[in-house]
Amino acid sequence: MRIGRYFAALALTFSTVVAVAAPANAASGDSNAATPVIYVHGYNTDGKGSDCGIWSDMRAFTTGNGFTGPQVTLKYYYNDLNCGVDLNNYGSQSTHFPGGQVNGQNSTGTDIRHIAYQFAWYVHDTYTSKGQNVGVVGHSMGGLVIRYALYRVAAGDPDFPPSLLISNIVNFGSPHSGANIAAVCAASNVECTEMTPGSAFLGDLNANGQNPQATGGTDWTLMGSDFDTTVADDSATSMTANHEVRYASSNLIGHSDFYRKTRTTRDANLSYSDHGSAYTSTTSGEWSVLRAHEALSGAGY
């Protein structure tokens, strides 16, 4: 059986969501190498925006291993750098939990649910409306953006598009049941409030948005690491998903390392669960970028 499954210093780097190529076993669309890959970053704590250059190693790995389609990095904070597409241009800044804008664009004071609303409209207008399937990768808070978007589309929320075509989703260190470090800034920041364990936002997701599916089906892969001091591995893998991976601390995968671990040797120490099975431990597992690449291409499932 194939092995399964990516905030740093208060570095609530609740980062990065990535959209990726579709898997062979996903039902919602094509799974060829030309399928677009979308990357969604996470939370930014220092007020300088997030640099989409964090995806460079993973994007190079993906293109170097067969993917030929567009690989798109997303901007949603007003001061994000080196990103390919600006989500502020999609949907309306006055719809679905609006607020927190700086110069008309989102900031860390903007509700995660609003960013998810814009993400959904970007995917729909650019790809789904044209019949094009995509894959998505999210880091940290980015995974919550993606999850909420699929949840509300599946629920028929009138603020959201009628459908999405997303066959594969990979999450790296996403706080699906929250991150304790978020409580440090929760009093002054809506995104931190939402990522605090026990928040109303997470309560809604975990009660009503477990394993949300796009049109035709979505295959989720969740990755966490025992070395991640920002998002605990049990939170990163707490959502119901087909594939869950927890890396041992010996792999030294911190919160901002998931998308940089491009080793191709199968010698990672991890435990994995596929399709709800009990966790199995192995010392011959895939490193996080390779595991994400296989998830996005549908290999081994």
Side-chain angles (χ1 to χ4, degrees):
M1 175 183 286
R2 285 268 188 195
I3 344 265
R5 341 286 190 228
Y6 199 23
F7 251 166
L10 175 41
L12 253 124
T13 303
F14 282 94
S15 306
T16 323
V17 173
V18 182
V20 192
N25 68 327
S28 65
D30 59 298
S31 58
N32 59 61
T35 302
V37 175
I38 301 164
Y39 300 85
V40 187
H41 70 74
Y43 180 85
N44 174 262
T45 55
D46 61 12
K48 298 179 181 178
S50 294
D51 189 341
C52 287
I54 62 173
W55 297 112
S56 296
D57 291 345
M58 186 169 178
R59 293 173 73 197
F61 184 96
T62 300
T63 55
N65 286 275
F67 283 118
T68 61
Q71 297 188 69
V72 185
T73 56
L74 300 183
K75 168 186 176 178
Y76 53 82
Y77 292 139
Y78 72 98
N79 51 357
D80 283 346
L81 302 171
N82 302 313
C83 305
V85 170
D86 189 348
L87 289 187
N88 291 281
N89 296 325
Y90 292 86
S92 167
Q93 288 291 31
S94 61
T95 301
H96 205 77
F97 299 94
Q101 278 79 35
V102 175
N103 298 325
Q105 297 191 323
N106 301 324
S107 72
T108 55
T110 300
D111 199 296
I112 294 172
R113 294 169 289 187
H114 181 73
I115 298 169
Y117 151 80
Q118 293 179 307
F119 168 77
W121 278 109
Y122 161 68
V123 173
H124 176 270
D125 290 354
T126 308
Y127 300 108
T128 303
S129 63
K130 300 175 176 63
Q132 173 67 62
N133 182 64
V134 300
V136 180
V137 178
H139 177 238
S140 198
M141 191 185 86
L144 300 180
V145 170
I146 300 165
R147 180 182 177 187
Y148 185 82
L150 267 68
Y151 157 47
R152 296 318 299 163
V153 170
D157 190 322
D159 287 348
F160 283 72
S163 63
L164 293 176
L165 290 174
I166 302 177
S167 59
N168 290 282
I169 294 173
V170 172
N171 279 184
F172 294 136
S174 293
H176 289 291
S177 61
N180 291 330
I181 197 170
V184 175
C185 54
S188 59
N189 184 287
V190 63
E191 292 172 359
C192 290
T193 300
E194 290 175 320
M195 289 186 285
T196 299
S199 71
F201 169 71
L202 291 174
D204 179 35
L205 275 181
N206 289 321
N208 304 303
Q210 286 288 344
N211 196 21
Q213 299 288 296
T215 300
T218 302
D219 197 47
W220 286 80
T221 296
L222 308 181
M223 300 188 206
S225 171
D226 193 43
F227 193 70
D228 186 342
T229 59
T230 300
V231 176
D233 58 358
D234 57 348
S235 177
T237 57
S238 64
M239 187 195 86
T240 302
N242 279 348
H243 314 292
E244 301 174 6
V245 174
R246 298 178 179 182
Y247 287 94
S249 58
S250 59
N251 298 294
L252 304 181
I253 299 177
H255 192 64
S256 298
D257 295 325
F258 289 99
Y259 41 78
R260 296 188 174 102
K261 296 291 186 177
T262 59
R263 292 173 58 174
T264 57
T265 53
R266 298 177 186 270
D267 55 4
N269 185 1
L270 56 80
S271 59
Y272 66 94
S273 169
D274 289 320
H275 306 286
S277 66
Y279 274 86
T280 300
S281 297
T282 181
T283 56
S284 57
E286 300 104 325
W287 291 82
S288 46
V289 171
L290 175 60
R291 181 64 189 82
H293 183 271
E294 293 191 344
L296 295 168
S297 63
Y301 298 102

